[in-house]
Amino acid sequence: MFAGRHANVTAVRRKNNEIIFYEVPRTSKPWIQKLKKIPLVRGVVAILESSAKGSQHLNFSMESYAEDELADTSTETESTTAKPAKKEEKSGWSLTMIVGVAVAGILSFAFGKIVFTLVPAIIEQLLFQHSFNNRVLHNLIEGVIKILFLLSYLYIISLTPLIKRLFQYHGAEHKVISAYEAGAELTVSNVQKFTRLHYRCGSSFIVFSVLVGVIVYSFFHWDSLWERIYLRLLLLPVVLGASYEALRFTNALRDLPVLRFLGYPGLWLQKLTTKEPTDDQVAVSIASFNRMLELDGQVSKP
């Protein structure tokens, strides 16, 4: 999946080697555009928006995969009669379906973020509540637990074939972007020469949310576990917004020799969230990126 200025495009390779596209124009309400200009607030808006749109594109790829799997188990007669109906159904996504998938994506992100925020805080409270009174140290230990929790989770799910394949496509996206930014011709052999790690990846945001959370939580005092949980939930939008600003800041400094190390934690995490892609996967990513450029070019024409 690639997001351009005017369109988001996802490419999927079917089992017959045909590459199909899911294309969604990038449109936002005027009030959303205004919110995107407000520091701290724009981060929360961007995260929720990307979660909603990402769920739609992921649902499209899952439907395409399911159709291929279903076709393999169907008879030749059944497949010839069912395929036209499926294509008609897919092309006719209703507004209700799209909104439903978007809401599901936002709720999934919110639930996951709440779990990864509260569980480490609860564990730290239960283990070290009476060990010392230093609030900053409590937050640091909570941050360490959160990072260990996150790394363990990513490592475990990366062992499953489906998630490994997803992470390979993630790596292919990064390679294509890096090749394009370097001015290289977008061929499979050229793209494969570039790194699968990229500064602007959302994985970097995850790391910053942990580090920023340690700082933000240190300014607030709690006396009980429930008060600590309440503060974490209340401050979650603040942490997300500040993390987004930190990510923008490090992206702006990534070309400075001394300060580029600020983005290294996010790059290290991408060792887990990306895998080396195959040539076929890179080819799909190139097709998606080129289609996105094509759509952007059509909109930009006077």
Side-chain angles (χ1 to χ4, degrees), residues 30-289:
W31 63 272
I32 293 181
Q33 292 298 328
K34 292 180 180 179
L35 291 177
K36 287 183 177 180
K37 297 178 181 180
I38 304 175
L40 296 181
V41 175
R42 61 188 174 191
V44 178
V45 174
I47 293 164
L48 295 178
E49 189 176 47
S50 63
S51 298
K53 293 180 177 179
S55 296
Q56 296 174 22
H57 287 260
L58 184 60
N59 190 69
F60 168 76
S61 64
M62 292 174 62
E63 281 189 350
S64 301
Y65 177 80
E67 286 182 9
D68 282 339
E69 292 299 312
L70 182 62
D72 286 345
T73 58
S74 302
T75 63
E76 184 175 354
T77 302
E78 290 173 337
S79 64
T80 56
T81 57
K83 279 182 179 178
K86 288 176 185 176
K87 288 183 178 180
E88 182 179 350
E89 180 182 353
K90 179 180 293 183
S91 61
W93 271 37
S94 67
L95 177 62
T96 302
M97 293 170 60
I98 294 175
V99 172
V101 173
V103 171
I106 293 175
L107 292 178
S108 298
F109 168 81
F111 177 77
K113 188 59 185 173
I114 289 173
V115 169
F116 275 90
T117 298
L118 297 187
V119 171
I122 294 172
I123 293 176
E124 199 283 334
Q125 183 85 355
L126 294 176
L127 294 179
F128 302 100
Q129 178 181 5
H130 303 295
S131 300
F132 45 84
N133 295 320
N134 190 307
R135 185 169 65 247
V136 176
L137 185 56
H138 277 291
N139 289 330
L140 286 174
I141 295 177
E142 177 186 339
V144 172
I145 295 174
K146 190 177 298 184
I147 290 176
L148 293 176
F149 189 23
L150 174 65
L151 294 179
S152 300
Y153 170 76
L154 290 174
Y155 174 74
I156 292 172
I157 66 171
S158 69
L159 298 178
T160 63
L162 184 61
I163 299 300
K164 179 181 179 181
R165 185 172 179 81
L166 179 65
F167 286 175
Q168 284 179 301
Y169 273 111
H170 191 190
E173 292 170 346
H174 286 183
K175 283 175 175 276
V176 170
I177 290 294
S178 296
Y180 177 77
E181 292 177 341
E185 182 182 0
L186 295 183
T187 63
V188 172
S189 58
N190 283 344
V191 170
Q192 284 284 34
K193 297 175 184 177
F194 288 84
T195 177
R196 72 178 197 267
L197 311 181
H198 199 279
Y199 267 86
R200 290 197 303 274
C201 176
S203 301
S204 301
F205 171 81
I206 298 175
V207 176
F208 279 115
S209 67
V210 175
L211 301 178
V212 171
V214 172
I215 298 174
V216 172
Y217 298 148
S218 298
F219 289 97
F220 297 87
H221 178 75
W222 69 88
D223 293 316
S224 66
L225 176 60
W226 292 113
E227 191 172 322
R228 187 174 188 175
I229 292 175
Y230 167 77
L231 283 172
R232 296 298 182 270
L233 293 176
L234 185 64
L235 295 171
L236 185 56
V238 178
V239 172
L240 294 177
S243 302
Y244 181 81
E245 299 301 327
L247 181 61
R248 286 171 56 95
F249 179 71
T250 57
N251 286 337
L253 299 177
R254 69 181 188 274
D255 293 327
L256 299 179
V258 179
L259 299 179
R260 63 182 294 117
F261 72 90
L262 292 174
Y264 281 9
L267 296 178
W268 295 335
L269 184 61
Q270 290 175 45
K271 293 285 187 177
L272 285 176
T273 60
T274 65
K275 301 292 183 183
E276 283 295 331
T278 64
D279 288 349
D280 286 344
Q281 291 167 338
V282 169
V284 173
S285 293
I286 292 174
S288 178
F289 188 78

